PDB file of all heavy atoms in Angstrom:
ATOM      1  N   ASP A   1    -140.273  -5.759-118.518  1.00 93.00           N
ATOM      2  CA  ASP A   1    -140.015  -4.688-119.468  1.00 93.00           C
ATOM      3  C   ASP A   1    -139.026  -5.179-120.518  1.00 93.00           C
ATOM      4  O   ASP A   1    -138.617  -6.347-120.505  1.00 93.00           O
ATOM      5  CB  ASP A   1    -139.533  -3.417-118.757  1.00 93.00           C
ATOM      6  CG  ASP A   1    -138.176  -3.598-118.080  1.00 93.00           C
ATOM      7  OD1 ASP A   1    -137.507  -4.631-118.311  1.00 93.00           O
ATOM      8  OD2 ASP A   1    -137.777  -2.700-117.321  1.00 93.00           O
ATOM      9  N   ARG A   2    -138.666  -4.279-121.436  1.00 90.00           N
ATOM     10  CA  ARG A   2    -137.827  -4.697-122.559  1.00 90.00           C
ATOM     11  C   ARG A   2    -136.518  -5.339-122.097  1.00 90.00           C
ATOM     12  O   ARG A   2    -136.160  -6.433-122.536  1.00 90.00           O
ATOM     13  CB  ARG A   2    -137.528  -3.486-123.450  1.00 90.00           C
ATOM     14  CG  ARG A   2    -136.513  -3.780-124.532  1.00 90.00           C
ATOM     15  CD  ARG A   2    -135.967  -2.488-125.126  1.00 90.00           C
ATOM     16  NE  ARG A   2    -134.891  -2.751-126.049  1.00 90.00           N
ATOM     17  CZ  ARG A   2    -134.081  -1.824-126.536  1.00 90.00           C
ATOM     18  NH1 ARG A   2    -134.247  -0.570-126.189  1.00 90.00           N
ATOM     19  NH2 ARG A   2    -133.120  -2.142-127.374  1.00 90.00           N
ATOM     20  N   ALA A   3    -135.794  -4.666-121.200  1.00 92.00           N
ATOM     21  CA  ALA A   3    -134.495  -5.176-120.785  1.00 92.00           C
ATOM     22  C   ALA A   3    -134.620  -6.535-120.107  1.00 92.00           C
ATOM     23  O   ALA A   3    -133.853  -7.463-120.372  1.00 92.00           O
ATOM     24  CB  ALA A   3    -133.811  -4.174-119.852  1.00 92.00           C
ATOM     25  N   ALA A   4    -135.594  -6.656-119.202  1.00 94.00           N
ATOM     26  CA  ALA A   4    -135.761  -7.916-118.482  1.00 94.00           C
ATOM     27  C   ALA A   4    -136.227  -9.030-119.402  1.00 94.00           C
ATOM     28  O   ALA A   4    -135.790 -10.177-119.285  1.00 94.00           O
ATOM     29  CB  ALA A   4    -136.750  -7.730-117.332  1.00 94.00           C
ATOM     30  N   MET A   5    -137.126  -8.692-120.330  1.00 93.00           N
ATOM     31  CA  MET A   5    -137.655  -9.727-121.224  1.00 93.00           C
ATOM     32  C   MET A   5    -136.576 -10.238-122.166  1.00 93.00           C
ATOM     33  O   MET A   5    -136.440 -11.450-122.377  1.00 93.00           O
ATOM     34  CB  MET A   5    -138.840  -9.180-122.011  1.00 93.00           C
ATOM     35  CG  MET A   5    -139.604 -10.235-122.796  1.00 93.00           C
ATOM     36  SD  MET A   5    -141.155  -9.551-123.406  1.00 93.00           S
ATOM     37  CE  MET A   5    -141.700 -10.889-124.466  1.00 93.00           C
ATOM     38  N   GLN A   6    -135.791  -9.329-122.724  1.00 89.00           N
ATOM     39  CA  GLN A   6    -134.720  -9.756-123.617  1.00 89.00           C
ATOM     40  C   GLN A   6    -133.655 -10.538-122.858  1.00 89.00           C
ATOM     41  O   GLN A   6    -133.152 -11.555-123.341  1.00 89.00           O
ATOM     42  CB  GLN A   6    -134.128  -8.547-124.327  1.00 89.00           C
ATOM     43  CG  GLN A   6    -135.087  -7.918-125.339  1.00 89.00           C
ATOM     44  CD  GLN A   6    -134.490  -6.754-126.084  1.00 89.00           C
ATOM     45  OE1 GLN A   6    -133.524  -6.132-125.635  1.00 89.00           O
ATOM     46  NE2 GLN A   6    -135.054  -6.425-127.235  1.00 89.00           N
ATOM     47  N   ALA A   7    -133.306 -10.088-121.651  1.00 91.00           N
ATOM     48  CA  ALA A   7    -132.299 -10.794-120.863  1.00 91.00           C
ATOM     49  C   ALA A   7    -132.785 -12.177-120.445  1.00 91.00           C
ATOM     50  O   ALA A   7    -132.046 -13.162-120.506  1.00 91.00           O
ATOM     51  CB  ALA A   7    -131.931  -9.967-119.628  1.00 91.00           C
ATOM     52  N   THR A   8    -134.047 -12.256-120.010  1.00 93.00           N
ATOM     53  CA  THR A   8    -134.596 -13.544-119.586  1.00 93.00           C
ATOM     54  C   THR A   8    -134.665 -14.516-120.759  1.00 93.00           C
ATOM     55  O   THR A   8    -134.334 -15.703-120.611  1.00 93.00           O
ATOM     56  CB  THR A   8    -136.006 -13.334-118.992  1.00 93.00           C
ATOM     57  OG1 THR A   8    -135.922 -12.424-117.893  1.00 93.00           O
ATOM     58  CG2 THR A   8    -136.593 -14.644-118.516  1.00 93.00           C
ATOM     59  N   THR A   9    -135.080 -14.014-121.907  1.00 92.00           N
ATOM     60  CA  THR A   9    -135.150 -14.865-123.095  1.00 92.00           C
ATOM     61  C   THR A   9    -133.772 -15.355-123.489  1.00 92.00           C
ATOM     62  O   THR A   9    -133.572 -16.531-123.813  1.00 92.00           O
ATOM     63  CB  THR A   9    -135.799 -14.097-124.259  1.00 92.00           C
ATOM     64  OG1 THR A   9    -137.104 -13.670-123.867  1.00 92.00           O
ATOM     65  CG2 THR A   9    -135.903 -14.979-125.494  1.00 92.00           C
ATOM     66  N   ARG A  10    -132.785 -14.470-123.450  1.00 89.00           N
ATOM     67  CA  ARG A  10    -131.430 -14.863-123.830  1.00 89.00           C
ATOM     68  C   ARG A  10    -130.861 -15.885-122.854  1.00 89.00           C
ATOM     69  O   ARG A  10    -130.200 -16.847-123.261  1.00 89.00           O
ATOM     70  CB  ARG A  10    -130.540 -13.621-123.907  1.00 89.00           C
ATOM     71  CG  ARG A  10    -130.922 -12.654-125.020  1.00 89.00           C
ATOM     72  CD  ARG A  10    -130.112 -11.376-124.937  1.00 89.00           C
ATOM     73  NE  ARG A  10    -128.717 -11.634-125.266  1.00 89.00           N
ATOM     74  CZ  ARG A  10    -128.249 -11.722-126.518  1.00 89.00           C
ATOM     75  NH1 ARG A  10    -129.067 -11.558-127.537  1.00 89.00           N
ATOM     76  NH2 ARG A  10    -126.982 -11.960-126.744  1.00 89.00           N
ATOM     77  N   ASP A  11    -131.092 -15.684-121.552  1.00 90.00           N
ATOM     78  CA  ASP A  11    -130.604 -16.666-120.576  1.00 90.00           C
ATOM     79  C   ASP A  11    -131.244 -18.028-120.812  1.00 90.00           C
ATOM     80  O   ASP A  11    -130.592 -19.076-120.714  1.00 90.00           O
ATOM     81  CB  ASP A  11    -130.899 -16.187-119.150  1.00 90.00           C
ATOM     82  CG  ASP A  11    -129.941 -15.087-118.701  1.00 90.00           C
ATOM     83  OD1 ASP A  11    -129.017 -14.757-119.469  1.00 90.00           O
ATOM     84  OD2 ASP A  11    -130.126 -14.562-117.590  1.00 90.00           O
ATOM     85  N   PHE A  12    -132.536 -18.014-121.115  1.00 92.00           N
ATOM     86  CA  PHE A  12    -133.226 -19.276-121.394  1.00 92.00           C
ATOM     87  C   PHE A  12    -132.633 -19.961-122.624  1.00 92.00           C
ATOM     88  O   PHE A  12    -132.346 -21.162-122.604  1.00 92.00           O
ATOM     89  CB  PHE A  12    -134.714 -19.018-121.612  1.00 92.00           C
ATOM     90  CG  PHE A  12    -135.462 -20.204-122.163  1.00 92.00           C
ATOM     91  CD1 PHE A  12    -135.810 -21.261-121.353  1.00 92.00           C
ATOM     92  CD2 PHE A  12    -135.792 -20.267-123.517  1.00 92.00           C
ATOM     93  CE1 PHE A  12    -136.483 -22.369-121.862  1.00 92.00           C
ATOM     94  CE2 PHE A  12    -136.455 -21.355-124.034  1.00 92.00           C
ATOM     95  CZ  PHE A  12    -136.807 -22.413-123.206  1.00 92.00           C
ATOM     96  N   LEU A  13    -132.450 -19.216-123.696  1.00 90.00           N
ATOM     97  CA  LEU A  13    -131.906 -19.810-124.921  1.00 90.00           C
ATOM     98  C   LEU A  13    -130.495 -20.343-124.683  1.00 90.00           C
ATOM     99  O   LEU A  13    -130.114 -21.371-125.238  1.00 90.00           O
ATOM    100  CB  LEU A  13    -131.892 -18.779-126.050  1.00 90.00           C
ATOM    101  CG  LEU A  13    -133.264 -18.342-126.578  1.00 90.00           C
ATOM    102  CD1 LEU A  13    -133.106 -17.240-127.615  1.00 90.00           C
ATOM    103  CD2 LEU A  13    -134.013 -19.527-127.177  1.00 90.00           C
ATOM    104  N   ARG A  14    -129.731 -19.647-123.858  1.00 86.00           N
ATOM    105  CA  ARG A  14    -128.379 -20.117-123.554  1.00 86.00           C
ATOM    106  C   ARG A  14    -128.426 -21.464-122.847  1.00 86.00           C
ATOM    107  O   ARG A  14    -127.704 -22.393-123.190  1.00 86.00           O
ATOM    108  CB  ARG A  14    -127.661 -19.071-122.699  1.00 86.00           C
ATOM    109  CG  ARG A  14    -126.198 -19.378-122.449  1.00 86.00           C
ATOM    110  CD  ARG A  14    -125.579 -18.342-121.506  1.00 86.00           C
ATOM    111  NE  ARG A  14    -125.416 -17.055-122.176  1.00 86.00           N
ATOM    112  CZ  ARG A  14    -126.121 -15.966-121.906  1.00 86.00           C
ATOM    113  NH1 ARG A  14    -127.092 -16.020-120.993  1.00 86.00           N
ATOM    114  NH2 ARG A  14    -125.890 -14.836-122.530  1.00 86.00           N
ATOM    115  N   GLU A  15    -129.291 -21.577-121.855  1.00 86.00           N
ATOM    116  CA  GLU A  15    -129.371 -22.825-121.092  1.00 86.00           C
ATOM    117  C   GLU A  15    -130.071 -23.934-121.870  1.00 86.00           C
ATOM    118  O   GLU A  15    -129.745 -25.106-121.720  1.00 86.00           O
ATOM    119  CB  GLU A  15    -130.114 -22.570-119.774  1.00 86.00           C
ATOM    120  CG  GLU A  15    -129.428 -21.597-118.837  1.00 86.00           C
ATOM    121  CD  GLU A  15    -128.067 -22.090-118.375  1.00 86.00           C
ATOM    122  OE1 GLU A  15    -127.860 -23.319-118.332  1.00 86.00           O
ATOM    123  OE2 GLU A  15    -127.206 -21.251-118.083  1.00 86.00           O
ATOM    124  N   ALA A  16    -131.035 -23.566-122.716  1.00 85.00           N
ATOM    125  CA  ALA A  16    -131.812 -24.578-123.433  1.00 85.00           C
ATOM    126  C   ALA A  16    -130.998 -25.329-124.469  1.00 85.00           C
ATOM    127  O   ALA A  16    -131.467 -26.331-125.013  1.00 85.00           O
ATOM    128  CB  ALA A  16    -133.019 -23.921-124.114  1.00 85.00           C
ATOM    129  N   ALA A  17    -129.778 -24.866-124.747  1.00 79.00           N
ATOM    130  CA  ALA A  17    -128.921 -25.589-125.693  1.00 79.00           C
ATOM    131  C   ALA A  17    -128.692 -27.024-125.243  1.00 79.00           C
ATOM    132  O   ALA A  17    -128.419 -27.901-126.066  1.00 79.00           O
ATOM    133  CB  ALA A  17    -127.579 -24.870-125.847  1.00 79.00           C
ATOM    134  N   ARG A  18    -128.801 -27.277-123.944  1.00 78.00           N
ATOM    135  CA  ARG A  18    -128.567 -28.633-123.427  1.00 78.00           C
ATOM    136  C   ARG A  18    -129.855 -29.370-123.105  1.00 78.00           C
ATOM    137  O   ARG A  18    -129.833 -30.455-122.521  1.00 78.00           O
ATOM    138  CB  ARG A  18    -127.673 -28.551-122.185  1.00 78.00           C
ATOM    139  CG  ARG A  18    -126.265 -28.075-122.505  1.00 78.00           C
ATOM    140  CD  ARG A  18    -125.378 -28.005-121.279  1.00 78.00           C
ATOM    141  NE  ARG A  18    -125.791 -26.945-120.362  1.00 78.00           N
ATOM    142  CZ  ARG A  18    -125.482 -25.657-120.539  1.00 78.00           C
ATOM    143  NH1 ARG A  18    -124.788 -25.288-121.587  1.00 78.00           N
ATOM    144  NH2 ARG A  18    -125.865 -24.752-119.667  1.00 78.00           N
ATOM    145  N   ALA A  19    -130.990 -28.781-123.457  1.00 84.00           N
ATOM    146  CA  ALA A  19    -132.277 -29.424-123.165  1.00 84.00           C
ATOM    147  C   ALA A  19    -132.698 -30.336-124.308  1.00 84.00           C
ATOM    148  O   ALA A  19    -132.344 -30.132-125.466  1.00 84.00           O
ATOM    149  CB  ALA A  19    -133.346 -28.369-122.922  1.00 84.00           C
ATOM    150  N   GLN A  20    -133.465 -31.341-123.989  1.00 84.00           N
ATOM    151  CA  GLN A  20    -133.999 -32.263-124.991  1.00 84.00           C
ATOM    152  C   GLN A  20    -135.328 -31.753-125.533  1.00 84.00           C
ATOM    153  O   GLN A  20    -135.641 -31.918-126.710  1.00 84.00           O
ATOM    154  CB  GLN A  20    -134.180 -33.652-124.388  1.00 84.00           C
ATOM    155  CG  GLN A  20    -134.676 -34.696-125.376  1.00 84.00           C
ATOM    156  CD  GLN A  20    -134.843 -36.052-124.732  1.00 84.00           C
ATOM    157  OE1 GLN A  20    -134.886 -36.164-123.512  1.00 84.00           O
ATOM    158  NE2 GLN A  20    -134.931 -37.086-125.539  1.00 84.00           N
ATOM    159  N   VAL A  21    -136.131 -31.146-124.671  1.00 90.00           N
ATOM    160  CA  VAL A  21    -137.401 -30.548-125.061  1.00 90.00           C
ATOM    161  C   VAL A  21    -137.422 -29.130-124.518  1.00 90.00           C
ATOM    162  O   VAL A  21    -137.107 -28.900-123.343  1.00 90.00           O
ATOM    163  CB  VAL A  21    -138.606 -31.330-124.504  1.00 90.00           C
ATOM    164  CG1 VAL A  21    -139.921 -30.653-124.893  1.00 90.00           C
ATOM    165  CG2 VAL A  21    -138.597 -32.770-124.998  1.00 90.00           C
ATOM    166  N   ALA A  22    -137.765 -28.173-125.378  1.00 92.00           N
ATOM    167  CA  ALA A  22    -137.856 -26.773-124.957  1.00 92.00           C
ATOM    168  C   ALA A  22    -139.250 -26.259-125.265  1.00 92.00           C
ATOM    169  O   ALA A  22    -139.740 -26.389-126.385  1.00 92.00           O
ATOM    170  CB  ALA A  22    -136.806 -25.927-125.668  1.00 92.00           C
ATOM    171  N   VAL A  23    -139.900 -25.692-124.248  1.00 95.00           N
ATOM    172  CA  VAL A  23    -141.234 -25.101-124.397  1.00 95.00           C
ATOM    173  C   VAL A  23    -141.132 -23.606-124.110  1.00 95.00           C
ATOM    174  O   VAL A  23    -140.503 -23.198-123.125  1.00 95.00           O
ATOM    175  CB  VAL A  23    -142.253 -25.753-123.436  1.00 95.00           C
ATOM    176  CG1 VAL A  23    -143.582 -25.004-123.465  1.00 95.00           C
ATOM    177  CG2 VAL A  23    -142.470 -27.222-123.804  1.00 95.00           C
ATOM    178  N   VAL A  24    -141.730 -22.799-124.973  1.00 95.00           N
ATOM    179  CA  VAL A  24    -141.830 -21.356-124.743  1.00 95.00           C
ATOM    180  C   VAL A  24    -143.312 -21.002-124.713  1.00 95.00           C
ATOM    181  O   VAL A  24    -144.043 -21.304-125.659  1.00 95.00           O
ATOM    182  CB  VAL A  24    -141.115 -20.548-125.838  1.00 95.00           C
ATOM    183  CG1 VAL A  24    -141.346 -19.048-125.622  1.00 95.00           C
ATOM    184  CG2 VAL A  24    -139.621 -20.855-125.843  1.00 95.00           C
ATOM    185  N   TYR A  25    -143.746 -20.368-123.612  1.00 96.00           N
ATOM    186  CA  TYR A  25    -145.134 -19.916-123.494  1.00 96.00           C
ATOM    187  C   TYR A  25    -145.119 -18.420-123.242  1.00 96.00           C
ATOM    188  O   TYR A  25    -144.385 -17.919-122.369  1.00 96.00           O
ATOM    189  CB  TYR A  25    -145.848 -20.629-122.339  1.00 96.00           C
ATOM    190  CG  TYR A  25    -147.196 -20.022-121.997  1.00 96.00           C
ATOM    191  CD1 TYR A  25    -148.354 -20.447-122.638  1.00 96.00           C
ATOM    192  CD2 TYR A  25    -147.288 -18.998-121.048  1.00 96.00           C
ATOM    193  CE1 TYR A  25    -149.582 -19.867-122.339  1.00 96.00           C
ATOM    194  CE2 TYR A  25    -148.509 -18.415-120.747  1.00 96.00           C
ATOM    195  CZ  TYR A  25    -149.657 -18.855-121.399  1.00 96.00           C
ATOM    196  OH  TYR A  25    -150.861 -18.273-121.107  1.00 96.00           O
TER     197      TYR A  25
END
């Protein structure tokens, strides 16, 4: 749902700052 999707996306973006390759599907 909206809350979970926004939270999950934000957590991913926070962690992906240290990734070399980021994939979003």
